[in-house]
Amino acid sequence: MSRPLSPGGLYGEIQAFYARQTRLLDRGRTDEWAATFTEDGVFEEVVKGERLEGREAIAASARKRADATAAEGVQRRHWFGMLEVDHEADGRLGATYYALVMSTPTGGGLAVYLSAEAHDVLVPHDDGWLVSHRSIRHDAAGPLESEAPWSSA
């Protein structure tokens, strides 16, 4: 494994990518959010055993979740932090981070919906980046057996 990138430059660019990506999702712009994944991208939630393959499947799942939370009168916010970015093969980057998903019902108080650790494989695209593979492991599953990120296949 190579040495993680330090703050600034490319690291700041990746943080900005995630800020934009999460805002798209939180605003219900699910097709634009899904467009931040490669056409053959993978989105998997390890605990749920859910593995979505392809941008269209990722978009459809996000749309379904966004519609359900809107129908419940809930605003979801995603917060990614403790970002670590490493160079991988062929110009790809590996990004590992903590994710909090918070829920606020209309007129209600904030609650943490879930916390997780995630690992992305990012590939260069035009002037930015796309996610080719995202693995999410919810903290409710218990402690990790090792510190190594999940497969970035």
Side-chain angles (χ1 to χ4, degrees), residues 122-147:
L122 303 172
V123 296
H125 177 74
D126 295 335
D127 292 333
W129 299 90
L130 295 175
V131 177
S132 68
H133 191 135
R134 174 167 290 168
S135 294
I136 301 171
R137 186 178 185 288
H138 298 197
D139 290 340
L144 290 173
E145 293 181 17
S146 74
E147 293 184 27

Side-chain angles (χ1 to χ4, degrees), residues 24-81:
L24 289 171
L25 185 60
D26 293 344
R27 292 176 179 161
R29 295 165 58 182
T30 54
D31 288 336
E32 291 173 78
W33 174 79
T36 66
F37 287 79
T38 60
E39 285 288 339
D40 63 348
V42 173
F43 183 102
E44 62 182 336
E45 291 188 64
V46 176
V47 173
K48 291 182 178 179
E50 180 179 51
R51 180 182 170 97
L52 303 169
E53 296 186 27
R55 188 182 285 163
E56 287 304 314
I58 293 168
S61 178
R63 208 172 300 117
K64 183 178 175 183
R65 288 181 188 190
D67 291 347
T69 56
E72 294 171 15
V74 172
Q75 174 64 59
R76 291 264 163 81
R77 298 277 187 222
H78 292 74
W79 187 270
F80 293 174

